[in-house]
Amino acid sequence: MRIVPIIIAAITTLTLYLFVFQRDMLFDIATPDSASPAVVQEMDPEDAETAQTEDNFAPPAEQAKAEVVPIPVVARHSVSRVLDRAVVLRGETEAARSVNVSAETSGRVISEPLRKGTYVDAGTLLCELDPGTRQAALLEAKAALPTAEARVAEANSFLSEAETNLTNAERLAEGGYASDTRVISARAALESARAGISAAEAGVQSARAGIAASEKEIERLTILAPFAGLLETDSAELGALMQPGSVCATIVELDPIKLVAYAPETNVDLVEVGSIAGARLISGQEVTGRVSFLSRSADPATRTFRVEVEIPNPDFAIRDGQTVEMVIAAEGTKAHLVAQSTLTLDDDGQIGVRIVGPDNVVAFNAVEILRDTREGVWVAGLADEADIITVGHEYVRAGVLVDPHYQEITQ
């Protein structure tokens, strides 16, 4: 009883082998090249002799035509159309800006904290530190300024006196009423007066610098929001000791928000800054925007290029770090819509379609798959008009004569 399944399996295996690996031999058997001798023997002697005589006297071209039997196939006249191409990428949302606002001076927090999730405008007070003795230091710096300015005035008077003494000494020396030593002393006094002015002016600059430093130190006591956004963390707690570099709060700007993805090398040339992009969040929400940035340098690890799309987010419905799928519009290209069943492979493994060429001779045309849809597959690489074999393409090959029957054009 078990021998029957084995025989059936053997017959099936042999049949598949013949159709897959010995298809050319089957084609040769199915296509008669000449009249079989057995058929001639079955004819009457006179008919056989007449047939052989007619074959001998027929022209070679007619003999060749008589030997070739066209294979019937079904074809479709396809006309190319402009297909809007798109680049599909997966990425995530990213805040337009995010910053840790840190202290620049030391002191204890004396302001009530703001809780995370609070929306703050640019310039909103986040943390205020205890001024300590900084106000006294400012008053001291301001008090030193008038003293320094008075020294400048005193030095100017000394300079005027030294210039007058030098002029008088030089006139007396010319008349012989003063010695050269007196002139030299007057000149030395003048240089000393000029040096005193420089020192007094430096004192004024030092006093002013002290005032500016004290005012800046007091300004650092109030830590303000650099831009409008949402607090991602609580601000520093009341009484907390802040040091330079301590984080007061973290602010993120979510309007607009960025969609970030990485384009492979094969598709990066299709992406342009300003191109329209649609996106679908993992929650199902759909948004649209434009490409705002395209990296010119590839990531050394993945060899991909960073792409950023800017999306309005006035209600903060889109959060930072959500998974998103983007579709970026690219320049259209001419393509044909073909049924997926018409695609086949040649002997070199190239994917393509078989078409009806001149004189109804089959030709293989390699294609590039652009998009797979419910209606069929959009392919590029064909001429603007092509007769694509839809039925029987698996039983013919390039160079075979066919008898095409055309379908109605539905594109």
Side-chain angles (χ1 to χ4, degrees), residues 385-401:
E385 296 184 6
D387 296 330
I388 303 173
I389 301 176
T390 58
V391 179
H393 58 284
E394 291 294 347
Y395 302 101
V396 295
R397 57 181 176 177
V400 174
L401 183 65

Side-chain angles (χ1 to χ4, degrees), residues 29 42 44 50 71-72 103 108 214 222 238 257 273 370 381 393 405:
I29 295 174
E42 292 177 359
D44 294 335
T50 303
I71 300 177
R108 293 191 178 277
S214 298
T222 54
L238 177 66
I257 197 167
V273 175
L370 301 179
H393 58 284
H405 301 274

Side-chain angles (χ1 to χ4, degrees), residues 152-168 186 189-190 192-194 197:
V152 172
E154 183 181 3
N156 284 326
S157 64
F158 287 156
L159 177 61
S160 299
E161 182 181 357
E163 290 175 346
T164 302
N165 291 337
L166 177 60
T167 301
N168 293 335
L190 177 61
S192 177
R194 289 174 178 172
I197 289 178

Side-chain angles (χ1 to χ4, degrees), residues 121-181:
D121 294 317
T124 300
L125 177 64
L126 301 178
C127 297
E128 183 178 2
L129 306 182
D130 183 9
T133 60
R134 292 178 177 83
Q135 290 290 350
L138 176 61
L139 294 176
E140 183 179 356
K142 289 182 177 180
L145 180 59
T147 302
E149 291 175 344
R151 289 176 180 173
V152 172
E154 183 181 3
N156 284 326
S157 64
F158 287 156
L159 177 61
S160 299
E161 182 181 357
E163 290 175 346
T164 302
N165 291 337
L166 177 60
T167 301
N168 293 335
E170 289 176 344
R171 289 178 180 177
L172 291 175
E174 290 176 358
Y177 299 103
S179 62
D180 294 338
T181 304

